[in-house]
Amino acid sequence: MPSQPLRTPVSKDRFSPLFSTLKTQVYHDPSIRGPGSHTIRSIAWNPTGHLIATGSADKTLRIWNPEKNQVKNSTELRGHTGGIERVAWNPTKEAELASVSSDCTCKFWDVRNKTCLATVQLGEPGFSVTWAADGSFCLVGLKVSFSAIYVFRFTSLHSGTVPTDHPPVPFRSNLQYTSTMIMAKSIQNDVLLPISLPDFTLGPPHRQDRQDHQINQVIFSQASPPRHIFLTTSDGSIKVCDFPSFNVLHTLYAHTSAATSLQLSPTGKYLATGGSDALIALFDTTDWISQRTLSDYVGAIKGLSFSFDGSYICGACDEGHGIDIYHVETGDLVHTVNTGYPVNCVAWHPCRYWLAWAGDPSGLKIVGAMGGQL
């Protein structure tokens, strides 16, 4: 899986003068009929940086070539009947994409062949999806008044059968379950095998106020095989859990209101968290102490992204009209991208200082894709 070569890191003092020279490319989707008709909810670069996926509220799932912004050079993946909530690429396969939707399904795609490899019926609207670094597991969160997580395990089996007489059973994070079995279907040469989850509780078992523990995002650690997962909660804390036991190892008190987003730096040194209190917190992953707080945003942080070298971070904010870029080691604000609109999602290129974002009614935009030395 050849990727683009990593660019040389740019120092804090040189970043803004160089980044400000980059031009912005617009990727206009033909499904746009006016303001609000094509709200992009999720964007994601594939592991090599040669493709970028967008998922929209109007159920459009499209794969773009960042160097060719005309829609004729893109691929539309059709099959969802509801809005796309989140898209995520398998980190080990440049053409395998997962998408979750409000139509209560999670779909796995081969984008080269425009083929849906498998559809998993979730029973409830999907809200988030994330992969383990080695592609061995995929977690899917459900958009419900309480939190549920599906766990799918992938193995490279070329033969054999998987029992399908039971539907997938969600893992309820605020209720106690013993040996909950997770089932799914075959995906070509990969098989989603049933696994068992021990008891796991994010609060008093069977508590009635389930909304208190709603999970907005889940991500894996960068270890291979995965050893930990990180979960945001609506009380503002972050749970660091063992995987696959789901035992809570640490609780990070990050925000005064709901924690809404998470991102690990590419170096693994920092865990960034965003909240509805308009703050971004950076935790050291060695001792889990908050190193600094970034506080220039004016609204809830809907998404976070580190640059490929881990030197810079920015957030998607549902208020304001810009993207603030911070230097991670100092917390200094080094540059602001003026967007003119609130931003729904942001994503740095995996190898370059290209920044993709969405929120503008015109669709996806990428700073740097029109050329430049970054």
Side-chain angles (χ1 to χ4, degrees):
M1 185 174 64
S3 61
Q4 299 181 27
L6 295 177
R7 293 302 172 106
T8 303
V10 173
S11 67
K12 179 183 71 170
D13 294 338
R14 297 180 60 235
F15 180 83
S16 186
L18 291 175
F19 193 80
S20 61
T21 65
L22 300 180
K23 296 182 179 180
T24 300
Q25 185 78 279
V26 179
Y27 301 77
H28 184 80
D29 196 295
S31 62
I32 297 176
R33 296 291 184 266
S37 66
H38 181 74
T39 301
I40 295 177
R41 292 177 173 169
S42 179
I43 58 178
W45 294 92
N46 80 333
T48 64
H50 292 108
L51 300 172
I52 185 169
T54 60
S56 305
D58 64 359
K59 69 187 179 184
T60 302
L61 176 57
R62 191 174 296 278
I63 312 301
W64 296 92
N65 179 339
E67 298 183 355
K68 299 178 180 179
N69 68 329
Q70 295 181 329
V71 71
K72 67 180 181 180
N73 298 309
S74 70
T75 299
E76 184 178 357
L77 303 176
R78 299 180 178 179
H80 280 298
T81 58
I84 312 299
E85 296 292 341
R86 190 65 64 95
V87 294
W89 297 87
N90 185 329
T92 65
K93 297 181 180 180
E94 61 182 337
E96 186 173 295
L97 180 75
S99 60
V100 294
S101 168
S102 60
D103 65 6
C104 304
T105 67
C106 175
K107 291 181 179 289
F108 296 89
W109 308 85
D110 181 343
V111 303
R112 292 166 300 189
N113 301 320
K114 305 180 184 180
T115 303
C116 179
L117 303 175
T119 298
V120 179
Q121 299 293 333
L122 302 175
E124 294 167 350
F127 184 66
S128 65
V129 60
T130 187
W131 293 84
D134 61 0
S136 60
F137 287 89
C138 183
L139 292 181
V140 175
L142 304 185
K143 188 178 182 180
V144 287
S145 58
F146 50 94
S147 296
I149 303 171
Y150 277 85
V151 183
F152 302 135
R153 182 179 182 182
F154 293 75
T155 59
S156 297
L157 298 180
H158 294 270
S159 61
T161 60
V162 176
T164 57
D165 54 334
H166 299 287
V169 178
F171 173 78
R172 308 297 186 186
S173 65
N174 58 346
L175 301 179
Q176 289 186 332
Y177 276 72
T178 302
S179 300
T180 303
M181 291 299 259
I182 309 299
M183 300 286 187
K185 300 179 181 179
S186 173
I187 296 186
Q188 286 191 345
N189 294 331
D190 291 340
V191 176
L192 284 69
L193 297 176
I195 65 172
S196 295
L197 296 177
D199 293 347
F200 172 55
T201 305
L202 271 183
H206 306 290
R207 69 179 287 141
Q208 297 300 312
D209 188 12
R210 294 173 174 177
Q211 182 68 26
D212 284 349
H213 297 291
Q214 179 177 346
I215 297 173
N216 292 310
Q217 189 176 357
V218 184
I219 62 172
F220 280 101
S221 67
Q222 295 170 341
S224 297
R227 297 173 55 191
H228 303 98
I229 60 170
F230 306 90
L231 308 94
T232 64
T233 68
S234 57
D235 67 1
S237 66
I238 308 298
K239 305 295 183 181
V240 182
C241 303
D242 176 72
F243 186 83
S245 74
F246 279 76
N247 293 325
V248 178
L249 304 177
H250 306 283
T251 298
L252 310 180
Y253 297 97
H255 301 279
T256 57
S257 54
T260 53
S261 53
L262 286 169
Q263 184 74 35
L264 276 169
S265 68
T267 62
K269 184 177 180 179
Y270 293 105
L271 173 69
T273 71
S276 59
D277 56 4
L279 298 178
I280 297 174
L282 293 171
F283 286 86
D284 188 306
T285 57
T286 301
D287 49 22
W288 300 113
I289 294 176
S290 178
Q291 297 297 313
R292 56 194 59 89
T293 300
L294 313 178
S295 58
D296 291 289
Y297 285 94
V298 296
I301 308 300
K302 297 299 187 182
L304 294 165
S305 185
F306 282 94
S307 61
F308 70 90
D309 56 355
S311 295
Y312 303 97
I313 186 173
C314 61
C317 180
D318 62 1
E319 297 182 36
H321 300 100
I323 302 172
D324 291 332
I325 301 174
Y326 295 88
H327 185 245
V328 171
E329 291 298 333
T330 63
D332 291 341
L333 176 62
V334 295
H335 189 82
T336 298
V337 178
N338 294 316
T339 62
Y341 291 87
V343 175
N344 299 323
C345 40
V346 292
W348 285 99
H349 188 281
C351 310
R352 309 185 63 165
Y353 290 118
W354 290 5
L355 182 62
W357 61 276
D360 189 310
S362 61
L364 173 69
K365 292 188 176 182
I366 302 178
V367 181
M370 291 184 68
Q373 299 304 311
L374 296 182

